Amino acid sequence: MTAPLNADPTQQATIAGYQSRPVTKPPNWHGLVTLDLLVNNLSSGLFMVAVLAELVAPAVFRPLASVAYPLALAWLLVDLVCLVLDLGDPARFHHMLRVWKPSSPMSLGTWCLTAYAAPLTLVAGLSLVPVEWGLEGARRVIAVVGLVPALAAAAYKGVLFSTTAQRGWGDARWFGGYLVNSALVLGAAELLLIGLARGRPQAVELLRVASLLLLPLNLVALGLLLADIRAALTEARGARTFVRVAVLAAAGGILLPLGLVALGGTVALVTAMLLLLLGALVVRDEIVRLPHRLHHRPHAAP
Amino acid sequence: MPGLGTSFGRGAATNYQQDLAHSDCVLFMGSNMAEAHPVAFRWPLKAKEEGATLIHVDPRYTRTSALCDVHVGIRAGSDIAFLGGLVNYVLTHDRWFKEYVLHYTNAATIVEEGFRDTEDLDGLFSGYHGNRRTGHYSAREGQWGYAGAAAAEQAQEEWDEEWTGATPMYRMHKQDLGMHGHSLDSGPTSHAGARQQMTACEPEQHRDLTLQDPNCVFQILKRHFARYTPELVSQVCGCAPEELVRVAELLCANSGRERTTAVVYALGWTQHTTGVQMIRTAAILQLLLGNMGRPGGGIMAMRGHSTIQGSTDLSTLYDSLPGYLPQPCADESHETLDAYIRQEGQTTGYWANFRKFVVSLLKAWYGDAATPDNEFGFAWLPRPDADYSQLPYFDRMAKGEVKGYFLWGQNPAGGSPNAGLHRAGLRQLDWLVVADWFEIESAVFWRNDPAAPPPSEIKTEVFFLPAAASQEKEGSLTNTQRLLQWHDKALDPLGDSRSDAWFLYQLGKRLKRLYAGSTDPRDQPLLNLTWDYEFDHPPRLPDGSLSRIEGEPDLEKVLMEINGYRLDQTDPRTGRPRLVSGFAELEDDGSTACGCWIYSGVFPEPGRNRARERKRGTDSIHPEWGYAWPHNRRVLYNRASADPEGRPWSERKKLVWWDAQARRWVGPDEPDFDLDTPPDYRPPRGATGLDAIAGDQPFIMKPDGQAWLFAPGGVRDGPLPAHFEPVESPVGNLIYPRQPTNPTVRFFEGPLNRIAHTPTLEYPVVATTCRLTEHYLSGPMSRFNSWLNELMPAMFVELSPELAAERGIVHGGWLTVTTARSRIEARAMVTRRLRPLRVAGRVMHQIGLPFHWAFAGEVVGDNANDLTSLVADPNVSMHEAKAFACQVSAGRREGAVPRPTVAPAPWPRTRLPDTPAAAQPEGRFTRDE
Amino acid sequence: MTSSERALAHLPPGTDPPRSLPLLLDRVAEPFRRGAAPEPQPSTGFYTDTTVCIGCKACEVACKQWNLLPADGFDWTGNSYDNTGGLSATSWRHVKFIEQLPGGVLGELLDPGRWLMMSDVCKHCVTAPCQQACPTGAIVYNEFGNVYIQPDVCNGCAYCIAACPFGVITRSTIDGHAHKCTLCFDRQRDGLVPACAKACPTASIQFGPVDELRERARQRVADLHERGVTDAYLYGDRPGDTYSALNSFYLLVDRPSVYGLPETPVNPWLRMKGDYLRAAVSGLVSLAALLAALALAGGPG
Ligand SMILES: Nc1nc2c(c(=O)[nH]1)N[C@H]1C(S)=C(S)[C@@H](COP(=O)(O)OP(=O)(O)OC[C@H]3O[C@@H](n4cnc5c(=O)[nH]c(N)nc54)[C@H](O)[C@@H]3O)O[C@H]1N2
Ligand SMILES: Nc1nc2c(c(=O)[nH]1)N[C@H]1C(S)=C(S)[C@@H](COP(=O)(O)OP(=O)(O)OC[C@H]3O[C@@H](n4cnc5c(=O)[nH]c(N)nc54)[C@H](O)[C@@H]3O)O[C@H]1N2
Ligand code: SF4
Ligand code: SF4
Ligand code: SF4
Ligand code: SF4
Ligand code: SF4
Ligand SMILES: [Mo]
C-alpha cells in the first residue's frame, strides 16, 4: 500500500468532491435493450418494405410475402420478450397498458407496438393462406393500415432515448431519424436476402436499386447522429475510439456494403447485407452503453 | 468537576444549553459540540442568527468549526497556554469587569505571606513533595491559604492533637491514596479541613479593595500570567499571535454590563493530566470578564452519557456519597460522625448544613436502624482504603489482584484508555458479570480479541445479563444542565431482559435473604439497608395493559426517597411520612430522611414528580419542564446577574434582581441566593452558615461567598493554573522549561503501560482522539446498527496532506499508528482539516483518531484506545486520551485483524404482518408474488 | 398505529399471493382500477438552508427508519464524511460534504476555508421529467403537489431514472421497482412533518407550503447578504428557461456543480417534439426514396 514518497502535498490525491462526477444516473439498460433496438427495426423495417414492395410490384413480391411477414412477426415477438425481460418486475408488464400517455415516448411506443402487432399478425396469417381464397384485397388493406404504427414503432425508440437527461442520449437529436431510416435499410436487406434465398432475381434486382438509394440517406442520418453524440462519445471512449467507431459504422457498415451492392452478385450481396447488420448493431450498442460508460458510480444501488 | 467546583462552589455546568441562544459570543474549546451534542447545537446557531460570534479553538477543523465564525487551530494539550494568553490580555489591557471582580471574586483577598508561585520556583508552587515527575502538594505547608487563617490554623492544630499525634503522617497517607472526594465543593481536600481552615479570615482585615497589595490575589494573578504573551503562546500552541489577540478582543468586546460570552468545553479539556486546571483557567477568564451567573454567559460543561451528570450527582464515583458528600475513608479523622463533619464540614456558607445532609442520607439508607446512639449508622458506611477509581482499579486487576467484577453498561475492553491493559485485566478475573444490550468487546474479549491468547488459556467465566433498553423501563435522566427528566416505560423488555434496577433490586433482596439473621457486625450495613420499593399496584403499560414483568421496583418510590421525607409527620393523603418540599426542610436530628440532598424538591408532594413535568414556559427557562438541581435553578450563582446593589447589570441581561418593595430576590429564574437577604446585608462577626455570606456575595457554596480566582484549597495541583505539557509530548515546556509536565501526575508504568515521557523524540507526532456524530463511544450502541454503520463504516485517521506526503501515505490507503503501548492500522483520511503546526520554531504534525471501533459488532476495526495510556491526573484520576505522542507510517500492521461478530441484518422481503398493503412502510420492498 | 393505518386496517393485507384464478385475474385487473382523486391541498415542499447544516445525517437515518429502508452496505469512500455516496432507491436522503480548505501550516493566518454540508433529496420538480416519462402512470403528483411513485404500480421500466436530471431515482434489486423520496406522503396525510425535517436539529431542512418557504428563504438570503455572506443564493426557487421551479429548493453558497447539482437543469421534454419531427421527416424521406426506387426500377417490367 505504500506509495512512492511524494514530498509535494499539493500532489496528494485527496478528497474527491462531487464536481467530477456525473449528476444523472443511468437506467442500467444493456444487451437486451440493444437487441430490442435491432429486432424492433428488423421487424418494422421488413414489414414496411414488404408492404410497399407489394404495392409497387405485387407480382414480383407476393411470393416473398409468406416468408417476410411471418419473419417480421417472429422478430416482433423476440422484441416483446426483450422488453418484458428488461423490466425490473416483468410480472407487471401489463401495467404499461394502464394509461394512454403520449407525453411519454415509452407509453406511446408501447401502444404503437400494440397497434402494429395486430395488423402484422393478421397479414402474416393471411400471407400463408392460398391466394385462391381471395383474401388478398383485405390483406393489402390491413397491411397499408399497418404502415402507420409500423413507422411509429420504428421511430419512437430513438425519441425515447433522446428524451432523457442522460449525457449522449439526450444529445442524440437524430437518433429517431436514424432508426427509421435504418429500419427501412435493414428491411430492404432482409427482403433482398429472402429474394436471393427464394431465387427471385427480379425482386433482388429491385431491392438492390432501392438499397443503392437508401444507403446514402443512411449515411446522412448516421452522420447527423454521430455529430450529435460526438462530444459524449469522445468523453466516454476517447477521440481515437470515437473515430474508429465512426469509420467502422460509416465505411464498414454503409459505404462498403454500398459498394458491394453496386457490384452485385450473390456473394457480394450477402456479404453487404451482413455488414449492414453488423454496422447497425455497432451503432446501437455504442449508444445504449454511452451513459453507463460515462458513469462510474462509487455506489450502485443494491 | 473540581475545576468548576473549586472556582464557583458546584461542580456542574453553570447555565443551560438553551441559554446559549442568549450569548453574544460563544467560545467552544475542547468541545466538538456540533458533532457530539448536535441537538443542543441549535441554540448557539440561534445566537449566531442574532449576530453572535462563534469561536472554535480545536486542533482539528471539525463540523463545529465549519459553523463557527472563527476557527483557531492549536496543538492538543496546549490550552492552558492559550487561555493563559487570554487572561493575560484581559489583565494587561485592563479589560476586566471591575465592579464584578471586586465584589464577586476573591481578587482582593490577601494570601499567606509564605506562598510561593510557579514564577518563583520554576514551575512549582510552594509545598511540593516529589521528584517533579510525580508527587503531591501540601497546601498548608505551601501556605496557599488566606492571610489571617492562622488563628483558625491554631484551632486546627489543637483539634489534630485530640485525634492523633500522627496526623501529618495520615495527611501524607491520604495524599498517596489519591483520595479526592468529589466532595463539598466537589474538589479534593488538599489537606485536612482545608476548606474551613484555609479560608477562614476576617474579611475586612484581610482584603485590599485597591488591589494594590502585592500579596492580594489580583496581584499574584497578574504576576502569574504575565508570561503568557501572544508571542510565547503562539510558540507553544502553534497558532498565530494575531489569532490569540483576535479571540481575546472578541471575548472582551462581548463581555461587560450589556453583553455576555459563554464558554463551552468538554473532553478536549477534561481528558488531560492538566484538565482540571484548563477548566480553572476558563473559570478565571470568565470571572475577570464578569460572565458568571448571567444569561448567555457561564461555563457549559457538555457532558456525555445521557445521565452521566446524574451518576456523579448520585455518586457512582467511589469517593463520594450522593450529593457530593465526601465518602468517609479509612482513617482516624473519619472514624466518627462528629470527626467527619468537623473534618469535611464548613461553618460558613451553605455547606454549614453539611450535618443535615449526612444524617438525612443515613436515615434514608438505614431507616429506623439509624439512631442518634449509633450515629445514625455512620459506622456502616464502607471506608475505602485506596483509590478505587477505574484506572487504578484495572491496573490492580491486570496484576491479578481482583477476583470478580460487575460491568454495568460500560465497555472498558473497547472504550477505556489503554484498552489492551483493561482486557488483560478482564482476562485475570475469575468471574465477570456483564449487563448490557449487546455482546460487547468486554463480553467477548475471551473469544474475539485478535490480540488475545486462545480462549482455552483464559479462565474468566463471563455471565451476560440482557439489559432492557431505555424505552423498556422508566426512570429519570439528569442531563448536562442538571435537569432531571423522567421517562416512562413504553413497552415490556423482550424475553429475559430486565431493567438494571430489576437486576440490582433482586440481587439486593437475595443478598439480604442470604445473610438474614446474621449477627456479624460486618453484615449489619446490608441487613439494615432499607430495600422496599415494591409497586403498590401492579404496574401497567401506556396502553393500559398489565406489565408482564414481575419484581420490578417502583422507581418513583426511589425518587421519593431521594427527595426526602419528614419522618416525624405523616401525610394524610398517603399515610406515609410527609415528603419534604426541598433541602431547606432537612434536619440533623434524624427527623428527616433524604437520599440525595441536591435533588430534594424533585418530588415535593404525593403524585407530583417534577422530573415528569413537561409544561412549556413563556421564556426559554421553562421552569416547569423537568426539574433542575439545586432547587430548580437553571442558571447557577444567578445573584451575580445583578450588580452589588441588586440591580440588573443591564436591561438586556437581567435575570434575577432585588425587589426593594417586596424585599426579596425575584426574576424569571429561581434565585440562587437566600431569598430575603438584602444586597446591603453584612454578616456580623462570627456568623455561621448563610448568615456569614454578605448580600453581595453570590457564591453561597463558598465559605467566603466569593468565586475563587485563586484557590486556597480544593485543587491538588496548585491554587493557580500553569501550563504543563502532556505526559507524552514531542516538545518540552516552553513556559516553565524546568518543569515539563504536571509534577503531581500518577503513573502506572509497566510492560502493559509504557510511557514515552516528555519530551520524546521516538514519537514525534501529536495524536488526539475524538468522536464522530455517526457513532457512540466505543461503539456498542452504534456498531450493531446497519443504519449508522453505513454512515461511518471503517476506522480511519485524519492527517494533513503534508504529513501524508512526508510518510508516503495515500488518501484512502492504509496507515499504521504506533505508540509506546501498541500499534494499530486504519484508513488514511488525508484532509486539509488537519494542518501541520510550527511549535518552538519547528514544524510538527498532529493527527486525529476517532475511538469508535473495536472487535465486536457489524463493523469492526483497530481501536484507538489500544494506543492510549493509563495515567491519572491528581484531582480526578483522569487519563490523557486527548493528547499523546505517536509515530505514523504508511501501510498495514502485521498480525491478525478483527472480524465482524454479527452480520448486518438481512433485509426483510416479506410485508409487515397484520398490516394492510396501503399502510406498509414505503421502504419495505416486496414483490407481488 | 397512525390514524390512516387504523382507517385502512380492515383492508385485506396485500401480502397474500394469488392462490386461485380469481385472485390472479384480480391481480391482473388491479392496476386498471381507478379510485377517486383526493382533494388537492396547497403544495408542500422543502427549503434546505445549507448554511446551517451540521452534517449530522439525522435526516438520512430518520428517513431510513421511518420508511424501513435497508442500509446500502458498508464501504468507506474517503470522500470527506460521505460514505453513502448518493441518492438511490434505498437512500432517499443523502448528506454531502465538500471540503474547501487551504493548505499550509497552522497559524499562518490563511483564509480559514469552508466545509460545506448539504442534505440532498428529490427536488419534487413542479414539472417533473420522471413523471412525464413514466409509462405506467406510477408517478403522480399527489394532493400535496409532491411527485410520488406508487409502489404498487411501478413495473421497473427505469425510464424515470434516465429522465431525472438530478440522478435521484434508481431501481432496487430487491423488488425491481423505482423508489425515491415520497416526501413522507404517509406522514403528511396524518398531518405529520416529514421524518427528515422533524429530525433535523438545526432547521436546515424546513418543510411547509412552498409559497411560505420561498418567502422565508428569500428573506434569509437577504439577511445573509447583509451579514456579508454575499455568495448565498437560492437554487430552484423559481422556474428557469429550461426547467420548472423545484418544490424542494436549496440555499447554496457556491456553484451548483460544487454540490453535484446541474448548473442549469434542462427538461428533456422541451426537445421531444422536435425529435419526433426529425424522425418523421427522416422516415418519410426514406419511404419516398424506397417507393421511388421500386417504381423506377420496377416500372417497365
Ligand atoms: N455522536 C456522539 N455524541 C456523543 C458521544 C459519542 O460518542 N458520539 N459521546 C458523548 C460523551 S460520553 C461525551 S463525554 C461527549 C464528549 O463530547 P466532546 O468532548 O465534544 O467530543 P470529543 O470529540 O471527544 O472531543 C471534542 C473535541 O476536542 C478536541 N480536542 C482534542 N484534544 C484537544 C485539546 O487538547 N484542546 C482542545 N481545545 N481541543 C481538543 C477534539 O479535536 C474534538 O474536536 O460527547 C457525548 N456525545
Ligand atoms: N480515546 C478516548 N477514549 C475515551 C474517550 C475519548 O474521548 N477518547 N471518551 C471517554 C468517555 S467521555 C466516556 S463517557 C467513555 C465511555 O465509555 P463506556 O462507558 O464504555 O461507553 P460505551 O462504550 O458506550 O459503553 C456503554 C455500554 O452500555 C450499554 N448500555 C447502554 N444503555 C444501557 C442500559 O440502559 N443498561 C445497561 N446495562 N447497559 C446499557 C451499551 O450497550 C454499551 O455497551 O469513553 C471514554 N473513552
Ligand atoms: S443522541 Fe440524544 S443526546 Fe445525543 S444529541 Fe442526539 S438527542 Fe441529544
Ligand atoms: S428530482 Fe428527479 S425524481 Fe425528483 S421529481 Fe424531479 S425529476 Fe423526479
Ligand atoms: S420505473 Fe416505475 S416509476 Fe419509473 S418510469 Fe418506469 S414505471 Fe414509472
Ligand atoms: S420526506 Fe420522508 S421520504 Fe423524503 S427524504 Fe424525508 S424522510 Fe425520506
Ligand atoms: S439533519 Fe439537518 S443538520 Fe443534520 S445533516 Fe440533515 S440537514 Fe444537516
Ligand atoms: Mo463521556
Side-chain angles (χ1 to χ4, degrees), chain C:
Chain C
M1 215 191 208
T2 68
S3 62
S4 72
E5 284 173 32
R6 232 178 271 107
L8 295 160
H10 67 277
L11 298 177
T15 38
D16 49 349
R19 271 175 243 81
S20 60
L21 185 62
L23 271 176
L24 180 61
L25 293 176
D26 182 73
R27 169 111 347 138
V28 174
E30 173 56 29
F32 297 93
R33 300 213 177 89
R34 291 280 181 278
E39 268 300 296
Q41 312 281 328
S43 339
T44 56
F46 285 129
Y47 151 44
T48 307
D49 180 351
T50 63
T51 60
V52 294
C53 176
I54 57 173
C56 68
K57 305 181 190 172
C59 45
E60 224 174 303
V61 177
C63 177
K64 291 222 169 185
Q65 187 170 30
W66 174 260
N67 295 299
L68 284 180
L69 289 163
D72 281 356
F74 310 144
D75 31 24
W76 187 84
T77 70
N79 187 15
S80 194
Y81 280 0
D82 173 3
N83 289 306
T84 41
L87 294 169
S88 74
T90 45
S91 293
W92 301 350
R93 267 271 170 203
H94 170 241
V95 183
K96 295 176 170 177
F97 294 78
I98 301 117
E99 298 193 11
Q100 299 180 330
L101 296 108
V105 173
L106 267 178
E108 285 176 355
L109 281 175
L110 333 95
D111 123 70
R114 302 190 290 191
W115 192 7
L116 305 176
M117 293 151 204
M118 177 244 203
S119 179
D120 199 5
V121 69
C122 167
K123 315 297 175 294
H124 292 279
C125 314
V126 171
T127 309
C130 63
Q131 187 276 341
Q132 290 169 297
C134 183
T136 64
I139 304 189
V140 294
Y141 294 100
N142 63 18
E143 59 264 45
F144 306 101
N146 313 140
V147 179
Y148 177 66
I149 304 180
Q150 305 173 74
D152 54 338
V153 175
C154 169
N155 68 4
C157 76
Y159 193 17
C160 54
I161 300 168
C164 172
F166 301 93
V168 167
I169 313 180
T170 65
R171 195 164 59 180
S172 157
T173 48
I174 296 178
D175 63 356
H177 305 152
H179 297 275
K180 70 165 190 75
C181 164
T182 68
L183 225 152
C184 279
F185 190 21
D186 47 357
R187 290 175 63 93
Q188 283 195 62
R189 268 178 306 180
D190 289 349
L192 298 174
V193 171
C196 53
K198 187 81 185 169
C200 178
T202 65
S204 172
I205 302 177
Q206 301 186 26
F207 165 83
V210 250
D211 322 353
E212 285 177 29
L213 291 178
R214 293 203 183 96
E215 272 318 297
R216 210 182 302 161
R218 288 176 186 137
Q219 187 50 51
R220 168 75 175 162
V221 170
D223 296 349
L224 284 171
H225 285 193
E226 245 170 54
R227 258 189 254 141
V229 190
T230 47
D231 41 13
Y233 69 97
L234 295 179
Y235 180 85
D237 64 320
R238 38 171 70 94
D241 307 338
T242 56
Y243 210 78
S244 73
L246 311 177
N247 276 353
S248 166
F249 61 97
Y250 297 82
L251 191 161
L252 306 176
V253 294
D254 204 334
R255 308 221 342 277
S257 55
V258 171
Y259 296 91
L261 295 168
E263 291 282 341
T264 46
V266 177
N267 183 324
W269 267 254
L270 296 173
R271 298 171 308 211
M272 186 176 69
K273 284 199 179 66
D275 294 356
Y276 272 127
L277 196 68
R278 282 181 209 64
V281 170
S282 156
L284 295 177
V285 171
S286 310
L287 281 174
L290 180 63
L291 268 176
L294 292 170
L296 291 178

Side-chain angles (χ1 to χ4, degrees), chain B residues 108-356:
Chain B
T109 310
I110 293 168
V111 173
E112 288 179 78
E113 290 282 344
F115 168 72
R116 290 287 167 275
D117 186 44
T118 45
E119 294 303 294
D120 319 316
L121 306 175
D122 290 334
L124 290 175
F125 294 97
S126 46
Y128 180 68
H129 300 260
N131 61 7
R132 278 188 177 259
R133 178 170 281 180
T134 181
H136 72 272
Y137 281 106
S138 164
R140 207 160 61 134
E141 287 171 39
Q143 305 193 32
W144 302 357
Y146 289 170
E153 283 291 315
Q154 202 49 48
Q156 170 75 17
E157 289 304 343
E158 291 155 10
W159 173 71
D160 284 345
E161 300 320 315
E162 296 169 22
W163 284 107
T164 157
T167 333
M169 258 321 295
Y170 128 70
R171 284 183 202 132
M172 292 289 296
H173 163 68
K174 192 176 178 193
Q175 289 286 348
D176 301 342
L177 294 181
M179 305 297 303
H180 42 71
H182 292 248
S183 52
L184 299 186
D185 59 13
S186 84
T189 42
S190 31
H191 82 274
R195 203 164 304 90
Q196 189 48 33
Q197 311 309 334
M198 308 284 289
T199 56
C201 64
E202 279 309 322
E204 307 329 327
Q205 283 171 12
H206 299 280
R207 292 214 177 110
D208 171 18
L209 295 178
T210 67
L211 303 185
Q212 295 314 311
D213 186 311
N215 283 349
C216 81
V217 165
F218 188 74
Q219 291 300 331
I220 295 174
L221 205 63
K222 268 188 128 162
R223 292 197 298 273
H224 180 83
F225 283 104
R227 276 180 195 249
Y228 297 77
T229 61
E231 292 63 32
L232 186 55
V233 168
S234 86
Q235 284 286 305
V236 177
C237 301
C239 62
E242 295 82 351
E243 288 179 303
L244 177 79
V245 173
R246 183 174 176 206
V247 172
E249 267 308 322
L250 282 168
L251 297 189
C252 295
N254 289 295
S255 305
R257 285 177 171 272
E258 293 291 336
R259 308 174 75 76
T260 51
T261 292
V263 172
V264 175
Y265 78 89
L267 298 189
W269 277 359
T270 51
Q271 289 180 344
H272 291 284
T273 49
T274 50
V276 168
Q277 294 287 17
M278 287 181 187
I279 299 160
R280 278 275 300 142
T281 327
I284 292 168
L285 181 65
Q286 282 295 66
L287 286 170
L288 289 174
L289 293 171
N291 285 321
M292 298 312 299
R294 303 179 58 198
I299 298 181
M300 283 305 298
M302 299 307 296
R303 308 208 61 185
H305 279 126
S306 49
T307 189
I308 194 73
Q309 180 66 47
S311 70
T312 30
D313 297 342
L314 286 154
S315 75
T316 48
L317 292 166
Y318 82 100
D319 56 1
S320 73
L321 298 171
Y324 302 98
L325 310 176
Q327 173 84 39
C329 56
D331 66 57
E332 312 86 336
S333 69
H334 288 169
E335 197 66 40
T336 68
L337 181 58
D338 293 338
Y340 167 77
I341 302 274
R342 179 165 179 199
Q343 173 74 11
E344 302 295 340
Q346 200 169 276
T347 53
T348 59
Y350 201 79
W351 277 117
N353 299 310
F354 187 43
R355 190 182 193 97
K356 299 177 180 172

Side-chain angles (χ1 to χ4, degrees), chain B residues 708-739:
Chain B
W708 287 358
L709 292 168
F710 177 99
V715 189
R716 324 188 97 226
D717 47 2
L720 288 173
H723 167 74
F724 302 112
E725 287 294 321
V727 294
E728 282 191 342
S729 167
V731 288
N733 188 347
L734 295 180
I735 295 194
Y736 296 113
R738 279 212 53 209
Q739 187 52 52

Side-chain angles (χ1 to χ4, degrees), chain B residues 853-912:
Chain B
W853 282 271
F855 53 79
E858 282 178 4
V859 300
V860 294
D862 280 5
N863 183 354
N865 271 320
D866 286 356
L867 298 176
T868 51
S869 70
L870 207 74
V871 295
D873 93 292
N875 293 301
V876 289
S877 298
M878 177 53 79
H879 54 86
E880 199 151 38
K882 282 284 184 278
F884 52 95
C886 72
Q887 182 55 286
V888 183
S889 57
R892 309 192 61 164
R893 63 166 171 78
E894 62 291 343
V897 296
R899 304 243 165 275
T901 56
V902 293
W907 201 250
R909 301 191 180 200
T910 58
R911 304 199 177 218
L912 287 184

